[in-house]
Amino acid sequence: MPTLTRQRTTRLLPGAIAAAAALLLTACSSADATQAAPTAATVSISDQWVKAADSGMSAAFGDLTNNGDAPRTIVSATSPASERIELHEVVTDANGTKAMRPKNGGFVIPAHGRTRLRPGGDHIMFMGLLGPLRTGSETSVTLTFDDGSTTTFTAQVRDFSGNQENYVPDHPGGQPHTGAHGG
């Protein structure tokens, strides 16, 4: 009798091991998928818009919301409407003159928080427009995060005449622009 019991156990054991291994692998892959979730999935934008312009420069604005448990950082952006895009901030110098410049480190969106892109503050600067941005039209903007993930949004073009700051680039070899650009 002991021999018969041992044979049944031997036949059931490989099946039980295979089932346990499958469950363990499924549990591990689910945890890995959660840990590898891209940053972009936790960030959304609302109230997004772009300043109308015939040529030269323009800017995009909106409210960035991070629903994730860790801060997220936008490090760059692109758009088919512009040759290049910079992430900008507006600062006031000792004389009270406002100037916009590239924002070192990008835009940080706190965990479960919001970062507002506004005229006269942080904004996405379009440089070298490839054509006019007409009121009522739309353009897309792709944001890139510090982990390499991206998200794309569409923004409506609107009229806006406020916030006339000077542009002061802080990259090597950059020539300062002294005209106002509405960031």
Side-chain angles (χ1 to χ4, degrees), residues 44-49 61-65 114 118 153:
S44 62
I45 187 164
S46 60
D47 299 324
Q48 66 269 27
W49 61 282
F61 312 97
D63 294 330
L64 297 160
T65 302
R114 180 170 71 165
R118 292 286 180 261
F153 66 89

Side-chain angles (χ1 to χ4, degrees), residues 57 97-100 125 127 163-169 174-182:
M57 296 184 180
T97 303
K98 287 186 175 186
M100 65 178 145
M125 193 73 196
M127 304 179 80
N163 292 76
Q164 302 295 313
E165 299 91 9
N166 292 323
Y167 172 57
V168 183
Q175 298 296 316
H177 297 273
T178 55
H181 303 294

